[in-house]
Amino acid sequence: MSSVEEIVGRADALYHDLEFGSVKRWREAHGGAKAVGYLPIWVPRELIDAAGMLPVGLMGGRGLIEIIRGDAWFQSYICQIPRSTIELALTGRLDAIDGFLFPSICDVIRNLSGMWKVMFPQKYVRYVDVPQNYDSAVGGRFFEGELRHLWNDLKKLSGTDPGDDAIRASIARYNANRRAIGDLMALRSEQPWRVPTWEAYLVLFAGNVLPVDEHTAMVREYIAAARAADRPRRDNARVVVTGSFCEQPPLGLLKTLELAGCYVVADDLALGRRWPDADVDETGEPLHALSEGFLKHSPPTAARYEPDGDRGAPLVQLVKRTRAEGVVLAAPSFCDPALLEQPILQDSLDAAKVPWTAFKYSESLGQFQVIREQAGTFADSIKLWSEA
Amino acid sequence: MSEPDPKAAGAVKDASMIKQKEMIAGHFSALSRAKESGKKVVYTFVPGNLTELLHAFDVLPVYPEINALQSGMRKKSGAYITEAERLGHSEDVCTYVKCDIGMLKAGNIGPTGEKLPEPDLLLLSYTGCFTFMKWFELLKREYHCPVAMLHVPYQGDGEFTPAMRDYVVDQLRTEVIPKLEQITGKKLDEAKLEEALARSSVAEDDLVWVLESAKNKPSPIDAYFGGVYYIGPIFTAFRGTDLAVDYYRTLRAEVQQRLDLGLGPLTPEGEMKNERYRLVVEGPPNWTSFNEFWKMFADEGAVVVASSYTKVGGMYDAGFRHDPTRPLETLAEYCAGCYTNLNLPSRISMLEKYVREYSADGLLINSVKSCNSFSAGQLMILREVEQRTGVPGGFIETDLVDPRYFSAANVKNRIESYLQMIEQKRRNAGARVSVQVPAAVAPKTRLAVLP
């Protein structure tokens, strides 16, 4: 069995590989099969996989590249992820990717889809609109049509013509992957000292570039290794981190939170890896199944309309479910979805008497001292004064 | 958006301006009496508004963006925004939202000094702007009233497909109309809806005629600063009414008269005598210093002959008309066609067309911090239009209603520099004019003319 260090080392290498070497190697190993990139939060990766292509999660530059050309395309008040994504493309790092999917999340990512059409006309580009109406007969009917369109496009891009069974098989693979990730998250929530969040995040992040079965195996391997590892249990505060579903915080920030005395027991980092949060039907009409998976089992997040109740309620429920003692509202600067709803979340947490703290970051953040002090003070205050 | 205070535009007033002022005052007066008159009130947004449908139910619409811009013009937005930020709203997000929240907390006093009624329904027309969704999630907490969500798909591939149209129509049938029926206690009056749609089409014809009058030289109108007055009634509470038909008939006659006399557009300080520059402008105006901003153009003899902002509430000059024979389908197509619901290639093509058809000397982008729907991608739009048309592009940055983001000296300096560049290009007709700016320089400082 591999050790935690070995598994995390493999994931760490993938995280730091902004040349997408693993994607290139996969292509070579698969006779030049194509790769399709997608931005946060969620696209139906099952369709890319079923068409014989590699889904590649594009989650910015992780602060690992200098943004030079990307800055020339955006005003100072636009977030970082479109800049670094364009930087990756203009520096040739995304050349191995043949198609790009831009899901509905915010106006910046939406407009980036149009920029891509103009700037990279040789690539396949599609804006993936998702319904904000969750009635199967209304939003579902629309979404199934969108998925059919996408499926036909992907088959054309791949030059293959797989049938519905290929999608069903892919759904099964992704269900297995999500179950493994669910087990990892459950272990971290129950025994966070065994699963530092930065490690769990690296393992999760590896799913951006690994084929799904390989990633599932890595997650299972890590769970086994983490269970076996002898790690001390500290008197840290159990916190939920939320707001980080799109532009990702740098790895150093996650380490800083834990060094400051926080055990992260739930988060929305790389949320698309865990979406939907229940199995998709593996037996029926597959596009309908994917649509229903989205409509009925999407995790609550800022980019998704909440028809019933309040946007803050799911967060409070998550706090209770994970027995968290506080919430860290960590949102990227200039992130409309996360920042616009923060007052709602804060009010809901206040009403539920859940302590919270808030800060902004960007993926290129390099100094963590202020956040360490803030998180440390927050953790201390929880341990000293919380009713628990 | 429109409905600025005519008083703010200086002493010169046409009959249409007076008429518009009376219409607006009448609407806000009706809103202030809504509870006693038993009228239901629906808050909704300008892009993708369903005003004819609301009229068919005899409810009164309120447009939070309009309230925000009115607060901006009345110099109240700064305090409202500060209050919202004090309550935890981020400095990074849309100032329309914060202005609205601040106004609500200060008593929800509308532009005429009368208290706005609380909504009976929030009609969330999710069209071309993600922020709308979060905005009404915030308001939902304040008002505890039902929300009707209308998701209008984005034209990501540059088209509104039949499947998209059916989706919107389905939502109208299953979500929007039932909720309107619920709050009003009456069924949809289809005949009333069709009559309103027919009136919309008449007014839309006249609006398009007015906007296209700017193809003349000199242009009898300013299609940006003046344009926000012209779009006011049709983008808001009056589309589909006899008042709107009458307003646009009057406006058209006035513009025809200016054309016959060879007059230039009205400006804050009277008629523009000498049209020196013809510009296409992309992006919303700044509202906190609206007159000062307009005057920066007028002083230099710069007239805006076409603008994208006057298309946020409908793309009538592209041929769309409300069709009373297909009531729900036409509403769906209207929603989908609003400017910010178009993808960037479509926006570029539209601006390129404007530059050519309106014989413009340049494209100027006013990039507002608050609005990512407009702003994200504008630097690419600038480059593309420059390359396709050969006219120089300019780029300035302000905000909608946050006075902290309007630096008058800076904006004036950039506008003057930009117009000088156009002048230089004229002098060196055919020669390459280029101001090279390093790629890493912040866009704020960029004022480029590419070959």
Side-chain angles (χ1 to χ4, degrees):
Chain A
M1 186 175 81
S2 301
S3 68
V4 164
E5 289 74 21
E6 288 168 335
I7 300 162
V8 172
R10 289 207 312 267
D12 185 72
L14 293 169
Y15 177 87
H16 283 87
D17 178 15
L18 286 176
E19 303 299 325
F20 291 87
S22 65
V23 176
K24 291 171 188 164
R25 289 191 292 278
W26 181 90
R27 289 182 56 136
E28 285 166 13
H30 291 80
K34 291 179 174 166
V36 174
Y38 57 92
L39 275 87
I41 305 178
W42 174 86
V43 298
R45 291 169 292 165
E46 290 88 341
L47 296 183
I48 303 170
D49 179 63
M53 299 185 286
L54 180 67
V56 180
L58 301 174
M59 303 200 80
R62 358 283 201 234
L64 301 174
I65 54 168
E66 187 180 2
I67 309 297
I68 299 171
R69 301 184 217 187
D71 274 349
W73 295 97
F74 292 102
Q75 299 91 321
S76 53
Y77 49 79
I78 306 283
C79 58
Q80 284 290 312
I81 189 169
R83 302 166 195 277
S84 56
T85 307
I86 280 194
E87 186 77 23
L88 288 169
L90 291 177
T91 51
R93 290 173 167 104
L94 302 183
D95 285 356
I97 296 172
D98 306 276
F100 293 84
L101 304 181
F102 296 83
S104 171
I105 166 172
C106 71
D107 294 331
V108 172
I109 299 296
R110 186 197 71 179
N111 286 7
L112 189 62
S113 72
M115 293 178 71
W116 224 264
K117 280 179 184 283
V118 175
M119 295 173 73
F120 307 103
Q122 73 282 13
K123 301 285 189 181
Y124 170 72
V125 177
R126 182 156 178 85
Y127 176 73
V128 181
D129 213 343
V130 296
Q132 300 287 2
N133 176 302
Y134 310 129
D135 181 341
S136 300
V138 180
R141 185 163 78 112
F142 164 72
F143 195 41
E144 279 184 53
E146 289 292 294
L147 292 176
R148 189 165 305 286
H149 187 125
L150 178 63
W151 175 231
N152 289 335
D153 281 359
L154 291 173
K155 286 192 292 185
K156 199 182 295 178
L157 182 66
S158 70
T160 61
D161 189 22
D164 284 356
D165 282 345
I167 309 179
R168 289 189 196 97
S170 185
I171 288 173
R173 285 197 289 275
Y174 276 92
N175 279 341
N177 183 255
R178 285 183 286 258
R179 283 196 293 269
I181 291 171
D183 289 347
L184 171 60
M185 294 300 135
L187 174 62
R188 185 200 38 178
S189 180
E190 285 303 312
Q191 302 176 28
W193 61 94
R194 292 192 189 282
V195 185
T197 282
W198 70 271
E199 285 187 5
Y201 176 65
L202 284 175
V203 171
L204 197 61
F205 200 95
N208 282 325
V209 291
L210 289 177
V212 60
D213 292 340
E214 208 175 312
H215 184 242
T216 304
M218 175 188 266
V219 175
R220 291 286 179 207
E221 210 179 354
Y222 175 81
I223 291 171
R227 283 188 193 282
D230 183 20
R231 287 175 150 166
R233 179 176 183 171
R234 301 181 198 285
D235 186 28
N236 282 2
R238 296 170 61 88
V239 302
V240 170
V241 174
T242 189
S244 311
F245 44 82
C246 181
E247 181 178 319
Q248 299 292 284
L251 204 54
L253 192 154
L254 300 180
K255 291 180 179 176
T256 297
L257 287 179
E258 293 186 323
L259 286 170
C262 296
Y263 277 143
V264 180
V265 294
D267 62 54
D268 57 3
L269 298 159
L271 184 61
R273 301 287 75 71
R274 315 171 227 178
W275 188 324
D277 56 14
D279 276 358
V280 176
D281 176 28
E282 299 172 13
T283 58
E285 202 288 308
L287 297 181
H288 176 74
L290 287 169
S291 173
E292 286 294 299
F294 174 85
L295 295 176
K296 313 298 184 206
H297 300 292
S298 290
T301 188
R304 193 169 179 274
Y305 179 60
E306 187 67 50
D308 304 313
D310 196 288
R311 274 290 306 132
L315 178 59
V316 173
Q317 287 161 12
L318 179 66
V319 167
K320 287 182 180 161
R321 201 165 61 242
T322 56
R323 292 176 286 109
E325 298 164 288
V327 171
V328 176
L329 300 164
S333 296
F334 305 110
C335 175
D336 278 343
L339 293 172
L340 277 162
E341 71 172 20
Q342 261 195 12
I344 298 176
L345 304 184
Q346 291 168 1
D347 286 352
S348 297
L349 293 171
D350 285 343
K353 295 188 168 51
V354 177
W356 56 268
T357 189
F359 58 78
K360 291 187 289 187
Y361 64 84
S362 74
E363 64 176 25
S364 57
L365 184 69
Q367 296 292 330
F368 306 113
Q369 186 56 33
V370 173
I371 287 176
R372 181 168 183 166
E373 286 171 10
Q374 183 178 344
T377 305
F378 181 60
D380 288 348
S381 69
I382 287 174
K383 301 312 291 184
L384 288 170
W385 293 303
S386 72
E387 290 175 8
Chain B
M1 239 344 295
S2 187
E3 289 189 26
D5 177 6
K7 271 191 285 191
V12 182
K13 295 192 196 74
D14 282 338
S16 63
M17 294 178 80
I18 295 165
K19 192 181 287 282
Q20 184 175 147
K21 186 182 179 188
E22 290 169 355
M23 290 161 69
I24 294 168
H27 180 64
F28 279 101
S29 174
L31 282 171
S32 70
R33 288 182 280 105
K35 296 302 172 195
E36 56 198 75
S37 64
K39 290 242 184 183
K40 298 297 180 186
V41 175
V42 174
Y43 284 20
T44 192
F45 294 110
V46 170
N49 72 71
L50 302 170
T51 302
E52 296 89 347
L53 187 64
L54 300 184
H55 287 314
F57 280 100
D58 202 24
V59 300
L60 291 169
V62 171
Y63 304 88
E65 313 108 294
I66 303 297
N67 296 337
L69 77 85
Q70 292 277 5
S71 297
M73 295 191 84
R74 286 168 170 74
K75 312 292 185 193
K76 292 182 175 176
S77 56
Y80 291 156
I81 291 166
T82 303
E83 173 63 9
E85 290 179 356
R86 195 186 63 77
L87 293 169
H89 293 261
S90 169
E91 66 268 27
D92 289 358
V93 303
C94 175
T95 52
Y96 270 177
V97 177
K98 287 185 287 188
C99 183
D100 188 41
I101 297 286
M103 188 179 93
L104 190 159
K105 296 295 181 187
N108 227 14
I109 305 301
T112 54
E114 295 161 296
K115 187 171 167 44
L116 289 171
E118 294 196 355
D120 297 289
L121 176 72
L122 295 169
L123 173 49
L124 172 46
S125 55
Y126 180 61
T127 303
C129 171
F130 172 83
T131 295
F132 287 161
M133 191 168 88
K134 310 313 286 184
W135 192 338
F136 272 12
E137 283 177 357
L138 288 160
L139 291 194
K140 184 171 143 186
R141 284 174 66 89
E142 302 287 343
Y143 293 121
H144 307 289
C145 67
V147 183
M149 164 56 124
L150 177 68
H151 171 212
V152 177
Y154 182 63
Q155 294 199 35
D157 280 343
E159 61 176 345
F160 190 59
T161 64
M164 292 173 175
R165 185 199 58 213
D166 293 346
Y167 172 44
V168 178
V169 169
D170 282 349
Q171 292 175 81
L172 290 173
R173 288 203 174 106
T174 61
E175 168 79 1
V176 176
I177 292 172
K179 283 189 171 156
L180 283 166
E181 289 177 338
Q182 190 184 343
I183 64 158
T184 60
K186 51 187 168 191
K187 301 296 286 181
L188 170 64
D189 184 338
E190 292 182 14
K192 201 170 175 181
L193 173 61
E194 289 164 16
E195 289 163 14
L197 291 166
R199 284 191 291 270
S200 293
S201 180
V202 173
E204 287 155 4
D205 278 343
D206 285 335
L207 171 67
V208 170
W209 185 92
V210 168
L211 293 176
E212 292 188 340
S213 72
K215 289 178 179 174
N216 291 282
K217 291 185 180 179
S219 169
I221 64 163
D222 183 287
Y224 185 52
F225 298 104
V228 300
Y229 290 85
Y230 307 148
I231 59 174
I234 210 161
F235 278 15
T236 59
F238 304 101
R239 202 179 65 222
T241 66
D242 287 326
L243 284 171
V245 171
D246 187 37
Y247 169 81
Y248 285 101
R249 189 58 34 95
T250 304
L251 177 66
R252 179 172 176 164
E254 286 171 1
V255 175
Q256 180 66 61
Q257 190 177 24
R258 301 189 71 77
L259 263 181
D260 294 343
L261 297 171
L263 300 177
L266 286 175
T267 75
E269 297 190 335
E271 180 195 326
M272 182 188 286
K273 303 284 186 194
N274 182 16
E275 176 186 291
R276 293 178 63 205
Y277 307 101
R278 296 169 64 83
L279 302 178
V280 171
V281 172
E282 145 78 11
N286 164 271
W287 300 110
T288 54
S289 301
F290 183 81
N291 264 12
E292 189 179 4
F293 194 27
W294 187 353
K295 194 167 176 296
M296 290 175 192
F297 290 76
D299 285 351
E300 300 292 329
V303 60
V304 181
V305 290
S307 66
S308 56
Y309 182 68
T310 50
K311 313 300 161 6
V312 294
M315 295 280 294
Y316 303 113
D317 65 338
F320 175 81
R321 295 291 181 277
H322 282 92
D323 178 358
T325 66
R326 307 161 51 248
L328 299 188
E329 289 80 3
T330 203
L331 286 172
E333 288 158 4
Y334 159 74
C335 292
C338 292
Y339 179 69
T340 50
N341 205 50
L342 307 184
N343 71 1
L344 262 63
S346 300
R347 286 171 60 182
I348 291 165
S349 297
M350 187 188 105
L351 292 167
E352 177 192 359
K353 186 166 172 254
Y354 283 168
V355 167
R356 296 187 194 286
E357 293 188 354
Y358 288 79
S359 308
D361 300 305
L363 168 70
L364 181 69
I365 292 180
N366 181 40
S367 182
V368 294
K369 172 185 173 286
S370 274
C371 185
N372 286 338
S373 180
F374 258 106
S375 301
Q378 280 178 327
L379 286 160
M380 192 208 64
I381 290 176
L382 184 74
R383 293 185 192 198
E384 279 295 313
V385 176
E386 282 174 338
Q387 284 171 4
R388 293 185 193 186
T389 63
V391 303
F395 199 86
I396 54 179
E397 285 184 323
T398 67
D399 188 48
L400 296 168
V401 290
D402 191 336
R404 295 171 297 189
Y405 290 94
F406 188 85
S407 168
N410 197 9
V411 171
K412 186 171 180 9
N413 182 275
R414 286 194 211 158
I415 290 170
E416 287 175 356
S417 300
Y418 174 59
L419 297 176
Q420 284 167 12
M421 235 185 291
I422 292 176
E423 198 63 49
Q424 186 184 354
K425 180 149 182 159
R426 281 179 183 159
R427 282 201 299 270
N428 304 327
R432 285 166 62 93
V433 179
S434 179
V435 176
Q436 296 294 339
V437 179
V441 168
K444 186 180 282 187
T445 62
R446 184 174 182 275
L447 186 64
V449 184
L450 300 176

